Amino acid sequence: MMKIPQFKSFVNKKDYYREVKSVFEKKYIAEGPLGAKFREQLLEITGAKYGVLASNGTLAIYLALKALGIGRGDEVIVQNVTFIASGNSVEMVGAKPVFVDIKAPDDMTLDLKKVEKKLTKRTKAIMIAHLFGSACTNIREIKKFCKKHNLLLVEDAAQALGITDGKTHCGTFGEVGTFSFYADKTVTTGEGGFVVTNNKEVYENMLYLRNQGRMSSGTFVHPRIGYNFRMSDLQSALGLAQLKKLDHIIEEKLKIYNLYQKYLGGKVKFLKLHNKFSFIPFRVIVFVENAEKTMMQMKEDGIEPRSVFFPLHKQPCYTYLKNKDKEFPMSNECFETGICLPTWIGLTKKQIKYTSKSLLKSLK
Ligand SMILES: Cc1ncc(COP(=O)(O)O)c(C=O)c1O
Protein backbone atom coordinates (compact mmCIF):
# COMPACT_ATOMS: atom_id res chain seq x y z
CA MET A 1 0.00 0.00 0.00
CA MET A 2 1.31 3.46 -0.87
CA LYS A 3 1.49 6.23 1.78
CA ILE A 4 0.56 9.60 0.28
CA PRO A 5 0.46 12.64 2.59
CA GLN A 6 -1.73 15.64 1.89
CA PHE A 7 1.28 17.94 1.60
CA LYS A 8 5.06 18.11 1.59
CA SER A 9 6.89 21.43 1.52
CA PHE A 10 9.08 22.24 -1.43
CA VAL A 11 12.36 23.70 -0.21
CA ASN A 12 15.13 24.12 -2.63
CA LYS A 13 18.12 23.74 -0.30
CA LYS A 14 20.87 24.91 -2.63
CA ASP A 15 19.25 28.28 -3.38
CA TYR A 16 18.19 28.68 0.23
CA TYR A 17 21.67 28.08 1.64
CA ARG A 18 23.11 30.62 -0.79
CA GLU A 19 20.60 33.30 0.29
CA VAL A 20 20.89 32.47 3.96
CA LYS A 21 24.68 32.67 3.82
CA SER A 22 24.34 36.29 2.78
CA VAL A 23 22.20 36.94 5.89
CA PHE A 24 25.04 35.76 8.10
CA GLU A 25 27.67 37.58 6.06
CA LYS A 26 25.77 40.84 6.48
CA LYS A 27 25.17 39.92 10.15
CA TYR A 28 21.62 41.20 9.78
CA ILE A 29 19.12 38.61 10.87
CA ALA A 30 16.13 40.80 11.82
CA GLU A 31 14.26 42.56 8.99
CA GLY A 32 16.86 44.16 6.74
CA PRO A 33 18.27 44.17 3.19
CA LEU A 34 16.86 40.79 2.19
CA GLY A 35 13.41 41.85 3.40
CA ALA A 36 13.69 44.93 1.18
CA LYS A 37 14.75 42.79 -1.79
CA PHE A 38 11.95 40.26 -1.22
CA ARG A 39 9.42 43.10 -0.96
CA GLU A 40 10.65 44.66 -4.22
CA GLN A 41 10.32 41.36 -6.07
CA LEU A 42 6.83 40.81 -4.70
CA LEU A 43 5.81 44.28 -5.85
CA GLU A 44 7.13 43.49 -9.30
CA ILE A 45 5.12 40.25 -9.46
CA THR A 46 1.89 41.78 -8.19
CA GLY A 47 2.25 45.12 -9.95
CA ALA A 48 1.10 46.90 -6.79
CA LYS A 49 2.45 50.36 -5.95
CA TYR A 50 3.07 49.71 -2.27
CA GLY A 51 3.54 46.67 -0.09
CA VAL A 52 4.70 45.65 3.36
CA LEU A 53 5.83 42.32 4.73
CA ALA A 54 3.99 40.89 7.72
CA SER A 55 4.67 38.09 10.18
CA ASN A 56 2.01 35.82 8.66
CA GLY A 57 -1.06 35.89 6.43
CA THR A 58 -3.50 36.30 9.32
CA LEU A 59 -1.69 39.35 10.68
CA ALA A 60 -1.43 40.65 7.11
CA ILE A 61 -5.25 40.80 6.93
CA TYR A 62 -5.44 42.31 10.42
CA LEU A 63 -2.87 44.95 9.46
CA ALA A 64 -4.78 45.73 6.26
CA LEU A 65 -8.12 46.15 8.06
CA LYS A 66 -6.52 48.25 10.78
CA ALA A 67 -4.82 50.49 8.20
CA LEU A 68 -8.20 51.02 6.52
CA GLY A 69 -9.57 52.23 9.84
CA ILE A 70 -12.03 49.34 10.23
CA GLY A 71 -12.87 48.63 13.85
CA ARG A 72 -15.49 48.57 16.57
CA GLY A 73 -19.03 49.21 15.35
CA ASP A 74 -18.20 48.32 11.74
CA GLU A 75 -19.40 45.32 9.77
CA VAL A 76 -17.49 43.47 7.07
CA ILE A 77 -19.14 41.10 4.59
CA VAL A 78 -17.03 37.93 4.49
CA GLN A 79 -17.20 35.12 1.96
CA ASN A 80 -18.58 32.18 3.94
CA VAL A 81 -16.24 29.56 2.48
CA THR A 82 -12.66 30.50 3.23
CA PHE A 83 -10.00 29.84 5.85
CA ILE A 84 -11.03 30.93 9.36
CA ALA A 85 -8.38 33.70 9.36
CA SER A 86 -10.49 35.81 6.97
CA GLY A 87 -13.31 35.97 9.52
CA ASN A 88 -11.09 36.07 12.58
CA SER A 89 -9.10 39.06 11.41
CA VAL A 90 -12.36 41.03 11.19
CA GLU A 91 -13.20 39.94 14.71
CA MET A 92 -9.64 40.83 15.77
CA VAL A 93 -10.06 44.51 14.80
CA GLY A 94 -13.28 44.55 16.82
CA ALA A 95 -15.65 44.61 13.83
CA LYS A 96 -18.47 42.16 13.08
CA PRO A 97 -17.98 39.58 10.31
CA VAL A 98 -21.18 39.12 8.28
CA PHE A 99 -21.03 35.86 6.36
CA VAL A 100 -22.52 35.47 2.89
CA ASP A 101 -22.92 32.27 0.87
CA ILE A 102 -20.86 31.32 -2.19
CA LYS A 103 -22.14 31.18 -5.79
CA ALA A 104 -22.22 27.40 -6.23
CA PRO A 105 -20.84 24.33 -4.45
CA ASP A 106 -18.04 24.08 -7.02
CA ASP A 107 -17.48 27.86 -7.29
CA MET A 108 -16.01 29.23 -4.06
CA THR A 109 -16.79 32.83 -4.90
CA LEU A 110 -18.96 35.29 -2.96
CA ASP A 111 -22.57 35.32 -4.21
CA LEU A 112 -23.19 39.00 -4.91
CA LYS A 113 -26.94 38.42 -5.24
CA LYS A 114 -27.03 37.55 -1.55
CA VAL A 115 -24.89 40.47 -0.41
CA GLU A 116 -27.33 43.32 -0.91
CA LYS A 117 -29.77 42.29 1.81
CA LYS A 118 -26.91 41.98 4.29
CA LEU A 119 -25.78 45.57 3.88
CA THR A 120 -26.44 47.95 6.74
CA LYS A 121 -25.34 51.48 7.62
CA ARG A 122 -22.40 49.91 9.43
CA THR A 123 -21.06 47.86 6.47
CA LYS A 124 -17.61 49.18 5.63
CA ALA A 125 -16.04 46.51 3.46
CA ILE A 126 -16.37 43.27 1.56
CA MET A 127 -13.75 40.60 2.10
CA ILE A 128 -13.39 37.98 -0.59
CA ALA A 129 -10.86 35.16 -0.88
CA HIS A 130 -9.27 33.82 -4.05
CA LEU A 131 -9.14 30.12 -3.25
CA PHE A 132 -7.25 27.04 -4.33
CA GLY A 133 -5.36 28.67 -7.16
CA SER A 134 -8.19 30.34 -9.04
CA ALA A 135 -9.21 33.99 -9.06
CA CYS A 136 -12.75 34.63 -7.80
CA THR A 137 -14.92 34.03 -10.84
CA ASN A 138 -16.74 37.38 -10.42
CA ILE A 139 -13.95 39.58 -9.10
CA ARG A 140 -14.67 42.43 -11.53
CA GLU A 141 -18.40 42.45 -10.63
CA ILE A 142 -17.47 42.50 -6.95
CA LYS A 143 -15.23 45.48 -7.55
CA LYS A 144 -18.07 47.32 -9.37
CA PHE A 145 -20.49 46.44 -6.58
CA CYS A 146 -18.12 47.88 -3.98
CA LYS A 147 -17.77 51.08 -5.95
CA LYS A 148 -21.54 51.43 -6.34
CA HIS A 149 -22.15 50.94 -2.62
CA ASN A 150 -19.11 52.88 -1.45
CA LEU A 151 -17.53 49.85 0.22
CA LEU A 152 -13.87 48.97 0.60
CA LEU A 153 -12.77 45.77 -1.13
CA VAL A 154 -10.36 43.60 0.84
CA GLU A 155 -8.89 40.64 -1.00
CA ASP A 156 -7.56 37.67 0.91
CA ALA A 157 -5.12 36.47 -1.71
CA ALA A 158 -3.24 34.19 0.72
CA GLN A 159 -3.31 31.38 -1.84
CA ALA A 160 -3.13 33.54 -4.95
CA LEU A 161 0.45 34.70 -5.50
CA GLY A 162 1.18 34.61 -9.24
CA ILE A 163 -2.47 34.59 -10.35
CA THR A 164 -3.18 37.28 -12.90
CA ASP A 165 -5.13 37.97 -16.08
CA GLY A 166 -2.03 39.58 -17.55
CA LYS A 167 -3.20 43.06 -16.48
CA THR A 168 -4.31 42.79 -12.88
CA HIS A 169 -2.86 40.48 -10.25
CA CYS A 170 -5.16 38.97 -7.61
CA GLY A 171 -4.98 41.15 -4.52
CA THR A 172 -4.73 44.41 -6.48
CA PHE A 173 -8.39 44.89 -7.46
CA GLY A 174 -9.36 46.19 -4.07
CA GLU A 175 -8.14 48.75 -1.60
CA VAL A 176 -5.85 46.14 -0.05
CA GLY A 177 -4.80 42.58 -0.85
CA THR A 178 -3.04 40.13 1.45
CA PHE A 179 -0.82 37.10 0.89
CA SER A 180 0.46 34.25 3.06
CA PHE A 181 3.82 32.51 2.87
CA TYR A 182 2.85 29.66 5.19
CA ALA A 183 4.59 26.33 4.53
CA ASP A 184 2.02 25.04 2.03
CA LYS A 185 1.66 28.23 0.00
CA THR A 186 2.94 28.64 -3.58
CA VAL A 187 5.91 30.56 -2.19
CA THR A 188 6.80 29.95 1.43
CA THR A 189 8.95 31.55 4.10
CA GLY A 190 7.76 29.04 6.73
CA GLU A 191 5.56 31.72 8.23
CA GLY A 192 5.09 35.10 6.60
CA GLY A 193 2.73 37.51 4.92
CA PHE A 194 2.48 40.49 2.62
CA VAL A 195 -0.02 43.31 2.12
CA VAL A 196 -0.35 45.32 -1.09
CA THR A 197 -2.17 48.57 -1.77
CA ASN A 198 -2.14 51.36 -4.32
CA ASN A 199 -3.26 53.88 -1.70
CA LYS A 200 -0.41 55.91 -0.25
CA GLU A 201 -2.22 56.83 2.94
CA VAL A 202 -3.12 53.19 3.67
CA TYR A 203 0.49 52.26 2.99
CA GLU A 204 1.76 54.88 5.44
CA ASN A 205 -0.71 53.68 8.06
CA MET A 206 0.69 50.18 7.61
CA LEU A 207 4.28 51.40 7.98
CA TYR A 208 3.41 52.91 11.36
CA LEU A 209 1.31 49.97 12.51
CA ARG A 210 3.86 47.30 11.63
CA ASN A 211 6.82 48.99 13.29
CA GLN A 212 5.72 50.12 16.74
CA GLY A 213 4.06 53.31 15.54
CA ARG A 214 7.22 54.86 14.09
CA MET A 215 8.51 55.21 10.57
CA SER A 216 11.92 53.74 11.26
CA SER A 217 13.56 51.68 13.96
CA GLY A 218 16.25 53.24 16.14
CA THR A 219 14.04 55.85 17.76
CA PHE A 220 12.03 55.50 20.95
CA VAL A 221 9.66 58.29 20.03
CA HIS A 222 6.44 56.75 18.73
CA PRO A 223 4.05 59.20 17.07
CA ARG A 224 1.31 56.60 16.77
CA ILE A 225 0.14 53.37 18.38
CA GLY A 226 1.76 50.48 16.56
CA TYR A 227 2.85 46.89 16.97
CA ASN A 228 5.40 44.48 15.56
CA PHE A 229 4.45 42.76 12.31
CA ARG A 230 7.96 42.48 10.89
CA MET A 231 9.57 39.45 9.28
CA SER A 232 13.18 38.35 9.75
CA ASP A 233 15.74 38.28 6.93
CA LEU A 234 16.13 34.54 7.56
CA GLN A 235 12.55 34.17 6.38
CA SER A 236 13.03 36.54 3.44
CA ALA A 237 16.08 34.49 2.40
CA LEU A 238 13.80 31.49 1.99
CA GLY A 239 11.26 33.63 0.14
CA LEU A 240 13.89 34.89 -2.31
CA ALA A 241 15.11 31.36 -2.95
CA GLN A 242 11.51 30.29 -3.60
CA LEU A 243 10.84 33.17 -6.00
CA LYS A 244 13.79 32.02 -8.12
CA LYS A 245 11.90 28.74 -8.54
CA LEU A 246 8.44 30.23 -9.05
CA ASP A 247 8.16 29.22 -12.73
CA HIS A 248 9.24 25.69 -11.83
CA ILE A 249 6.74 25.54 -8.94
CA ILE A 250 3.89 26.65 -11.23
CA GLU A 251 4.88 24.22 -13.97
CA GLU A 252 5.06 21.25 -11.59
CA LYS A 253 1.73 22.07 -9.94
CA LEU A 254 0.01 22.33 -13.31
CA LYS A 255 1.46 18.97 -14.31
CA ILE A 256 -0.14 17.45 -11.21
CA TYR A 257 -3.48 19.10 -12.01
CA ASN A 258 -3.37 17.82 -15.59
CA LEU A 259 -2.67 14.28 -14.42
CA TYR A 260 -5.65 14.38 -12.05
CA GLN A 261 -7.71 15.69 -14.98
CA LYS A 262 -6.48 12.78 -17.09
CA TYR A 263 -7.51 10.16 -14.52
CA LEU A 264 -10.62 11.82 -13.08
CA GLY A 265 -11.86 14.24 -15.76
CA GLY A 266 -15.48 13.57 -16.79
CA LYS A 267 -15.98 11.33 -13.74
CA VAL A 268 -15.96 13.96 -10.99
CA LYS A 269 -16.42 17.74 -10.97
CA PHE A 270 -13.36 19.97 -10.55
CA LEU A 271 -13.35 23.41 -8.93
CA LYS A 272 -14.69 26.08 -11.27
CA LEU A 273 -11.88 28.35 -12.49
CA HIS A 274 -11.84 31.92 -13.75
CA ASN A 275 -10.96 31.25 -17.36
CA LYS A 276 -9.40 34.68 -17.97
CA PHE A 277 -6.87 34.31 -15.17
CA SER A 278 -3.84 32.12 -14.77
CA PHE A 279 -4.32 29.14 -12.50
CA ILE A 280 -1.81 27.77 -9.99
CA PRO A 281 -3.36 24.79 -8.21
CA PHE A 282 -2.77 25.42 -4.52
CA ARG A 283 -4.61 22.12 -4.00
CA VAL A 284 -6.53 20.15 -6.62
CA ILE A 285 -10.20 20.27 -5.56
CA VAL A 286 -12.79 17.79 -6.76
CA PHE A 287 -16.44 17.25 -5.85
CA VAL A 288 -18.05 13.85 -5.28
CA GLU A 289 -21.46 12.74 -4.03
CA ASN A 290 -20.32 12.11 -0.45
CA ALA A 291 -16.91 13.53 0.47
CA GLU A 292 -16.80 11.85 3.86
CA LYS A 293 -17.36 8.38 2.37
CA THR A 294 -14.81 8.94 -0.37
CA MET A 295 -12.22 10.27 2.07
CA MET A 296 -12.71 7.20 4.25
CA GLN A 297 -11.94 4.94 1.31
CA MET A 298 -8.85 6.98 0.47
CA LYS A 299 -7.58 6.82 4.05
CA GLU A 300 -7.97 3.03 3.98
CA ASP A 301 -5.73 3.08 0.92
CA GLY A 302 -3.01 5.06 2.75
CA ILE A 303 -3.85 8.44 1.20
CA GLU A 304 -4.35 11.60 3.23
CA PRO A 305 -7.21 13.56 1.66
CA ARG A 306 -8.54 16.75 3.26
CA SER A 307 -11.99 18.31 3.35
CA VAL A 308 -12.51 21.79 1.94
CA PHE A 309 -13.14 24.64 4.40
CA PHE A 310 -15.82 24.14 7.03
CA PRO A 311 -18.24 27.04 6.36
CA LEU A 312 -17.68 30.00 8.65
CA HIS A 313 -21.38 30.29 9.62
CA LYS A 314 -21.16 26.78 11.11
CA GLN A 315 -17.94 27.32 13.07
CA PRO A 316 -18.39 26.64 16.78
CA CYS A 317 -16.54 29.89 17.55
CA TYR A 318 -19.14 31.89 15.57
CA THR A 319 -22.35 30.48 17.07
CA TYR A 320 -22.75 33.82 18.89
CA LEU A 321 -23.59 35.41 15.53
CA LYS A 322 -26.72 33.19 15.32
CA ASN A 323 -26.50 32.61 11.57
CA LYS A 324 -29.33 30.68 9.92
CA ASP A 325 -28.08 27.49 8.27
CA LYS A 326 -30.71 27.71 5.52
CA GLU A 327 -29.08 30.90 4.19
CA PHE A 328 -25.96 28.96 3.20
CA PRO A 329 -27.01 25.99 1.00
CA MET A 330 -24.09 26.35 -1.42
CA SER A 331 -21.45 26.48 1.33
CA ASN A 332 -22.97 23.41 2.97
CA GLU A 333 -23.00 21.42 -0.26
CA CYS A 334 -19.45 22.53 -1.02
CA PHE A 335 -18.29 21.14 2.32
CA GLU A 336 -20.25 17.90 1.97
CA THR A 337 -18.91 17.16 -1.51
CA GLY A 338 -15.48 18.84 -1.79
CA ILE A 339 -12.13 17.12 -1.33
CA CYS A 340 -8.56 18.51 -1.42
CA LEU A 341 -6.36 16.02 -3.21
CA PRO A 342 -2.64 15.74 -2.40
CA THR A 343 -0.89 18.40 -4.50
CA TRP A 344 2.81 18.81 -3.82
CA ILE A 345 5.98 19.00 -5.83
CA GLY A 346 7.53 15.57 -6.01
CA LEU A 347 4.20 13.72 -6.20
CA THR A 348 4.70 11.09 -8.92
CA LYS A 349 2.46 10.06 -11.79
CA LYS A 350 2.14 6.65 -10.12
CA GLN A 351 0.94 8.24 -6.87
CA ILE A 352 -1.58 10.43 -8.70
CA LYS A 353 -2.92 7.42 -10.60
CA TYR A 354 -3.16 5.44 -7.34
CA THR A 355 -4.99 8.32 -5.59
CA SER A 356 -7.41 8.72 -8.51
CA LYS A 357 -8.12 4.98 -8.60
CA SER A 358 -8.85 4.93 -4.88
CA LEU A 359 -11.22 7.90 -5.25
CA LEU A 360 -13.08 6.27 -8.15
CA LYS A 361 -13.38 3.00 -6.20
CA SER A 362 -15.45 4.84 -3.58
CA LEU A 363 -17.94 6.04 -6.21
CA LYS A 364 -18.95 2.55 -7.26
C1 LIG B 1 -7.39 31.84 2.45
C2 LIG B 1 -6.43 32.02 3.57
N1 LIG B 1 -6.49 33.13 4.32
C3 LIG B 1 -5.62 33.36 5.31
C4 LIG B 1 -4.63 32.46 5.63
C5 LIG B 1 -3.77 32.73 6.82
O1 LIG B 1 -2.44 32.77 6.54
P1 LIG B 1 -1.35 32.36 7.66
O2 LIG B 1 -1.47 30.90 7.89
O3 LIG B 1 -0.05 32.75 7.03
O4 LIG B 1 -1.65 33.15 8.87
C6 LIG B 1 -4.53 31.28 4.87
C7 LIG B 1 -3.47 30.29 5.09
O5 LIG B 1 -3.18 29.65 5.98
C8 LIG B 1 -5.46 31.04 3.84
O6 LIG B 1 -5.41 29.93 3.12
Side-chain angles (χ1 to χ4, degrees):
M1 188 165 74
M2 282 191 189
K3 280 261 170 240
I4 306 177
Q6 172 67 207
F7 192 76
K8 275 189 190 175
S9 292
F10 170 69
V11 180
N12 172 36
K13 274 192 214 144
K14 219 166 99 196
D15 282 350
Y16 178 51
Y17 289 160
R18 193 179 312 125
E19 292 291 352
V20 115
K21 199 164 155 256
S22 82
V23 176
F24 291 109
E25 275 162 5
K26 291 189 178 89
K27 294 190 171 42
Y28 211 113
I29 52 175
E31 191 172 280
L34 290 198
K37 195 168 152 193
F38 186 41
R39 195 182 73 97
E40 282 310 311
Q41 293 192 11
L42 290 168
L43 284 178
E44 212 169 290
I45 291 170
T46 57
K49 252 193 195 157
Y50 310 105
V52 299
L53 295 172
S55 316
N56 57 55
T58 307
L59 288 175
I61 313 173
Y62 172 76
L63 180 58
L65 293 172
K66 208 74 188 148
L68 290 174
I70 294 172
R72 208 149 295 158
D74 295 334
E75 291 179 4
V76 177
I77 301 284
V78 179
Q79 179 176 319
N80 192 47
V81 172
T82 173
F83 186 53
I84 191 84
S86 318
N88 284 359
S89 48
V90 173
E91 191 274 341
M92 210 150 92
V93 295
K96 178 182 169 190
V98 177
F99 304 130
V100 173
D101 206 6
I102 51 170
K103 266 170 74 180
D106 62 343
D107 185 354
M108 297 182 202
T109 287
L110 183 73
D111 187 351
L112 267 184
K113 289 200 294 294
K114 293 183 182 167
V115 173
E116 211 142 350
K117 56 177 182 290
K118 293 282 177 183
L119 299 179
T120 73
K121 282 202 298 275
R122 292 177 295 278
T123 315
K124 285 278 153 55
I126 291 187
M127 181 176 332
I128 57 93
H130 301 282
L131 294 179
F132 296 114
S134 170
C136 278
T137 57
N138 59 357
I139 184 64
R140 290 194 190 277
E141 288 92 323
I142 292 173
K143 189 180 161 102
K144 268 191 220 144
F145 184 94
C146 285
K147 206 167 172 197
K148 180 176 159 202
H149 293 275
N150 199 22
L151 298 169
L152 300 164
L153 172 58
V154 179
E155 292 173 78
D156 178 348
Q159 305 179 355
L161 188 71
I163 300 171
T164 170
D165 66 354
K167 282 191 294 221
T168 315
H169 192 288
C170 284
T172 64
F173 283 94
E175 207 65 27
V176 286
T178 63
F179 298 86
S180 163
F181 304 125
Y182 179 67
D184 67 352
K185 298 299 183 285
T186 308
V187 160
T188 181
T189 57
E191 298 276 4
F194 190 54
V195 191
V196 293
T197 182
N198 289 324
N199 181 322
K200 193 163 183 232
E201 194 185 329
V202 173
Y203 171 59
E204 276 178 11
N205 289 346
M206 291 198 287
L207 289 178
Y208 280 109
L209 283 164
R210 73 186 298 278
N211 192 19
Q212 311 286 12
R214 58 195 169 180
M215 268 300 185
S216 55
S217 302
T219 168
F220 293 119
V221 180
H222 307 261
R224 296 193 195 175
I225 297 288
Y227 315 94
N228 178 353
F229 295 93
R230 299 183 304 257
M231 222 171 94
S232 82
D233 264 21
L234 285 167
Q235 291 166 297
S236 289
L238 181 51
L240 285 164
Q242 293 256 313
L243 284 184
K244 277 199 191 121
K245 289 281 170 206
L246 185 56
D247 288 343
H248 172 74
I249 293 169
I250 296 171
E251 203 178 299
E252 290 302 307
K253 289 217 151 182
L254 283 171
K255 268 190 208 160
I256 294 167
Y257 181 80
N258 290 334
L259 282 169
Y260 277 125
Q261 276 284 358
K262 178 176 164 190
Y263 298 125
L264 295 171
K267 297 175 183 119
V268 296
K269 257 191 189 175
F270 280 69
L271 178 72
K272 194 155 184 216
L273 309 178
H274 194 313
N275 60 13
K276 297 221 163 57
F277 278 74
S278 57
F279 167 55
I280 309 173
F282 169 64
R283 291 286 200 284
V284 175
I285 307 298
V286 291
F287 299 90
V288 296
E289 205 178 315
N290 182 337
E292 205 180 323
K293 182 179 152 220
T294 295
M295 288 194 287
M296 235 146 66
Q297 173 69 57
M298 294 172 83
K299 281 178 199 160
E300 270 173 31
D301 290 335
I303 302 154
E304 189 192 346
R306 191 162 287 168
S307 73
V308 296
F309 295 121
F310 192 50
L312 297 189
H313 80 280
K314 269 188 145 82
Q315 294 288 353
C317 60
Y318 282 125
T319 47
Y320 76 93
L321 290 172
K322 295 188 172 42
N323 280 295
K324 294 191 188 82
D325 194 52
K326 66 176 190 319
E327 289 183 6
F328 304 92
M330 299 302 156
S331 307
N332 286 339
E333 193 178 328
C334 175
F335 179 71
E336 284 152 18
T337 59
I339 301 177
C340 299
L341 298 177
T343 312
W344 38 270
I345 292 167
L347 195 67
T348 63
K349 187 174 172 181
K350 215 167 142 191
Q351 287 171 314
I352 295 168
K353 195 171 180 182
Y354 177 82
T355 302
S356 306
K357 240 177 146 173
S358 165
L359 187 151
L360 291 175
K361 199 161 54 171
S362 78
L363 304 184
K364 282 182 188 145

Short mmCIF file of all heavy atoms in Angstrom, two decimals, residues 56-58 61 82-83 85-86 131 156 158-159 180 182 185 192, ligand 1:
data_model
loop_
_atom_site.label_atom_id
_atom_site.label_comp_id
_atom_site.label_asym_id
_atom_site.label_seq_id
_atom_site.Cartn_x
_atom_site.Cartn_y
_atom_site.Cartn_z
N ASN A 56 2.73 36.95 9.26
CA ASN A 56 2.01 35.82 8.66
C ASN A 56 0.79 36.36 7.92
O ASN A 56 0.50 37.56 7.98
CB ASN A 56 1.62 34.76 9.72
CG ASN A 56 0.79 35.33 10.84
OD1 ASN A 56 -0.25 35.94 10.60
ND2 ASN A 56 1.27 35.18 12.06
N GLY A 57 0.07 35.46 7.26
CA GLY A 57 -1.06 35.89 6.43
C GLY A 57 -2.23 36.39 7.25
O GLY A 57 -2.98 37.27 6.81
N THR A 58 -2.40 35.86 8.46
CA THR A 58 -3.50 36.30 9.32
C THR A 58 -3.26 37.74 9.78
O THR A 58 -4.14 38.60 9.70
CB THR A 58 -3.60 35.38 10.57
OG1 THR A 58 -3.67 34.02 10.11
CG2 THR A 58 -4.80 35.70 11.42
N ILE A 61 -3.86 40.33 7.10
CA ILE A 61 -5.25 40.80 6.93
C ILE A 61 -5.60 41.78 8.06
O ILE A 61 -6.22 42.82 7.84
CB ILE A 61 -6.29 39.64 6.94
CG1 ILE A 61 -5.85 38.49 6.03
CG2 ILE A 61 -7.65 40.16 6.47
CD1 ILE A 61 -6.76 37.25 6.14
N THR A 82 -14.05 30.05 3.28
CA THR A 82 -12.66 30.50 3.23
C THR A 82 -11.99 29.99 4.51
O THR A 82 -12.64 29.40 5.37
CB THR A 82 -12.53 32.04 3.13
OG1 THR A 82 -11.15 32.42 3.25
CG2 THR A 82 -13.32 32.77 4.19
N PHE A 83 -10.69 30.22 4.62
CA PHE A 83 -10.00 29.84 5.85
C PHE A 83 -10.47 30.76 6.99
O PHE A 83 -10.77 31.93 6.76
CB PHE A 83 -8.49 29.94 5.64
CG PHE A 83 -7.68 29.43 6.80
CD1 PHE A 83 -7.89 28.17 7.31
CD2 PHE A 83 -6.71 30.24 7.38
CE1 PHE A 83 -7.15 27.71 8.39
CE2 PHE A 83 -5.97 29.78 8.45
CZ PHE A 83 -6.19 28.51 8.95
N ALA A 85 -9.10 32.44 9.13
CA ALA A 85 -8.38 33.70 9.36
C ALA A 85 -9.08 34.89 8.72
O ALA A 85 -9.00 36.01 9.24
CB ALA A 85 -6.95 33.60 8.81
N SER A 86 -9.80 34.68 7.61
CA SER A 86 -10.49 35.81 6.97
C SER A 86 -11.53 36.38 7.92
O SER A 86 -11.66 37.60 8.07
CB SER A 86 -11.19 35.39 5.67
OG SER A 86 -10.42 34.54 4.89
N LEU A 131 -9.52 31.40 -3.87
CA LEU A 131 -9.14 30.12 -3.25
C LEU A 131 -8.64 29.05 -4.21
O LEU A 131 -9.09 28.96 -5.35
CB LEU A 131 -10.34 29.57 -2.47
CG LEU A 131 -10.76 30.40 -1.25
CD1 LEU A 131 -11.97 29.76 -0.58
CD2 LEU A 131 -9.63 30.58 -0.25
N ASP A 156 -8.44 38.66 0.28
CA ASP A 156 -7.56 37.67 0.91
C ASP A 156 -7.00 36.83 -0.23
O ASP A 156 -7.67 35.95 -0.77
CB ASP A 156 -8.37 36.82 1.90
CG ASP A 156 -7.51 35.74 2.56
OD1 ASP A 156 -6.37 35.52 2.09
OD2 ASP A 156 -7.98 35.12 3.52
N ALA A 158 -4.24 35.04 0.06
CA ALA A 158 -3.24 34.19 0.72
C ALA A 158 -2.74 33.08 -0.19
O ALA A 158 -1.56 32.73 -0.18
CB ALA A 158 -3.84 33.58 2.00
N GLN A 159 -3.66 32.54 -0.99
CA GLN A 159 -3.31 31.38 -1.84
C GLN A 159 -3.08 31.80 -3.29
O GLN A 159 -3.02 30.93 -4.16
CB GLN A 159 -4.45 30.35 -1.79
CG GLN A 159 -4.83 29.91 -0.39
CD GLN A 159 -5.99 28.92 -0.39
OE1 GLN A 159 -6.57 28.61 -1.42
NE2 GLN A 159 -6.33 28.40 0.78
N SER A 180 -0.15 35.05 1.99
CA SER A 180 0.46 34.25 3.06
C SER A 180 1.64 33.49 2.48
O SER A 180 1.58 33.03 1.33
CB SER A 180 -0.57 33.27 3.63
OG SER A 180 0.10 32.26 4.36
N TYR A 182 2.84 30.85 4.33
CA TYR A 182 2.85 29.66 5.19
C TYR A 182 3.42 28.48 4.40
O TYR A 182 3.43 28.47 3.17
CB TYR A 182 1.41 29.36 5.68
CG TYR A 182 1.35 28.14 6.54
CD1 TYR A 182 1.98 28.12 7.78
CD2 TYR A 182 0.72 26.98 6.09
CE1 TYR A 182 1.96 26.97 8.55
CE2 TYR A 182 0.70 25.83 6.86
CZ TYR A 182 1.34 25.83 8.09
OH TYR A 182 1.34 24.69 8.84
N LYS A 185 2.03 27.26 1.03
CA LYS A 185 1.66 28.23 0.00
C LYS A 185 2.61 28.14 -1.21
O LYS A 185 3.68 27.53 -1.12
CB LYS A 185 1.67 29.65 0.57
CG LYS A 185 0.67 29.84 1.70
CD LYS A 185 -0.76 29.60 1.26
CE LYS A 185 -1.80 29.85 2.34
NZ LYS A 185 -1.88 28.81 3.37
N GLY A 192 4.84 33.77 7.17
CA GLY A 192 5.09 35.10 6.60
C GLY A 192 3.87 35.61 5.88
O GLY A 192 2.95 34.85 5.58
C1 LIG B 1 -7.39 31.84 2.45
C2 LIG B 1 -6.43 32.02 3.57
N1 LIG B 1 -6.49 33.13 4.32
C3 LIG B 1 -5.62 33.36 5.31
C4 LIG B 1 -4.63 32.46 5.63
C5 LIG B 1 -3.77 32.73 6.82
O1 LIG B 1 -2.44 32.77 6.54
P1 LIG B 1 -1.35 32.36 7.66
O2 LIG B 1 -1.47 30.90 7.89
O3 LIG B 1 -0.05 32.75 7.03
O4 LIG B 1 -1.65 33.15 8.87
C6 LIG B 1 -4.53 31.28 4.87
C7 LIG B 1 -3.47 30.29 5.09
O5 LIG B 1 -3.18 29.65 5.98
C8 LIG B 1 -5.46 31.04 3.84
O6 LIG B 1 -5.41 29.93 3.12
#
